[in-house]
Amino acid sequence: MLPRLPVYILISMPVLLVQGSTANSSKKSPPPGPPPPLGDPSWALGLHLYRALRSDSSSVNTLFSPLLLASSLGALGGGSAGTTSSQFQDLLKTPSPTEAGAGAAKLLSGALKSFTAANGTSFYLHTSSALFSKQTPPVSQEFVKGSQARFRLQHRPLGKGDSKADLKQLNGWAKAGLGGLEGAAPVAEVQAKAGALILANAVRFKGLWEREFSEESTDHRTFLGKKKYTKVMMMYRAGLYRHHEDVENMVQVLETPLCEGKASVVFLMPFHVETLARLEKLLTLELLSKWLEKTNITSLSISLPKVNITSTLSLKEQLSALGLTDAWDQKAADFSGVSDKSKGKLHLGGVLHWASLELAAQAGKGSANLEEENVDKPKLFYADHPFIIFVRDNVTGALLLMGALDHAEGEALHDEL
Ligand SMILES: *[C@@H]1O[C@H](CO)[C@@H](O)[C@H](O)[C@H]1NC(C)=O
Ligand SMILES: *[C@@H]1O[C@H](CO)[C@@H](O)[C@H](O)[C@H]1NC(C)=O
Ligand SMILES: *[C@@H]1O[C@H](CO)[C@@H](O)[C@H](O)[C@H]1NC(C)=O
Ligand SMILES: *[C@@H]1O[C@H](CO)[C@@H](O)[C@H](O)[C@H]1NC(C)=O
Ligand SMILES: *[C@@H]1O[C@H](CO)[C@@H](O)[C@H](O)[C@H]1NC(C)=O
């Protein structure tokens, strides 16, 4: 068994131990946290959808933005009626029944504004959301104005061409929405005939840490991925972080703040090397809330892989499984608020989602004046095997991103397992 301690930590530990002698300094109670997940529509949708996506055990690296998706679905649901509408509402319903319907829409709209306003301080963000449709039937201008203002959902007419041309337009839109990102997979199929609405979200996110990580550039480490062991760059930092060890379930929970505290990145990682299947079966909103509550400030030595998690998803199957069924059906769908019925009928033809998250070492601008931390006998959080990751907004409580890293790109160390 190779020692798992990164060299950096062995060298810096004595220095840190000396600093750690101040009484009580590392036992402060955690600062007040954001609103709990249980009453938030982005968490309810995010967790249900995450489980639906991951029930396909062949999935490798998953990422989506529950907030963007919930907002866009909320906007579209606002233009529906009858059972189509109630199915949209059920999808965005939370276990705490305080906010439903108009309440959920208000929460989502507010959270979306807060998310985009934090661009450049806690993270760099590129994002676009659009509703695509063919020229006929025409989409109501009132609906377009409302969705744009409240949910950043634009309307984009699809060209007159065939489905190949539609795909080209959609994939081109996604690339622009991702700020020109190379390497995001294109969508390969789309049903965009007259009357079909295609809902699309694109988001690219790079967190700026509250405190910078240092890069270990001379030595690549091994990431023990689901299919392959690969060599990846790791970054390190010892500091005070919110952390919790659930010994019964053998899970470490780590919350790392982003610059200016507007959002944080949470990692859920099994104690030992394993696929995420066991952890994913445990994952409920209740347990997640409990874990997040239990984290407390701990001296920690963190190693994270420098990776990009990138996903392209077509969500029809999963959203149908979660109860959104009428919307897709040309007969049953009722989008009478999106287009006047007399001008032709609309249904949902696709929900496409592109997302990318970059884990890098960089801290934000506001990090320069932070005091030194007193790190005392740090515990290890060594992320060299698959983990679940999410980003939550510290102000509104919304779930900004949710995903998993099963595999890290890099030179393969062994043959396929
Ligand atoms: C340290 O904590 C203890 C209780 O946990 C308290 O009685 C004591 O006053 C604290 N000391 C300082 C220096 O804050
Ligand atoms: C932090 O949590 C651990 C268990 O997870 C517990 O043993 C410890 O007492 C807690 N510390 C504080 C300051 O609450
Ligand atoms: C975030 O800021 C960058 C420039 O720093 C800009 O290119 C990008 O479009 C902004 N994103 C949003 C969603 O406004
Ligand atoms: C979250 O925001 C609150 C209120 O602004 C702040 O006190 C707290 O430190 C923030 N939490 C993190 C993890 O930055
Ligand atoms: C992640 O993506 C960004 C943007 O394309 C790129 O600059 C960076 O090198 C990538 N990082 C890794 C580890 O591949």
Side-chain angles (χ1 to χ4, degrees), residues 26-30 243-245 294-298 379:
S26 61
K27 295 210 172 65
K28 267 183 253 160
S29 60
H243 181 251
H244 170 62
E245 279 181 352
K294 283 197 168 177
T295 57
N296 62 26
I297 304 276
T298 310
K379 288 184 179 178

Side-chain angles (χ1 to χ4, degrees), residues 69 72-73 76 130-132 153 197-201 348 350-352:
L69 181 63
S72 295
L73 288 172
L76 190 55
L131 186 65
F132 288 85
L153 181 68
L197 298 164
I198 308 287
L199 190 63
N201 298 116
L348 190 55
V351 175
L352 308 175

Side-chain angles (χ1 to χ4, degrees), residues 72 81 85 98 120 140 151 160 185 191 239 248 258 265 349 365:
S72 295
S85 167
T98 44
S140 135
F151 301 103
K160 291 203 172 93
Q191 301 280 336
E248 190 187 334
L258 294 175
V265 182
K365 289 192 199 87

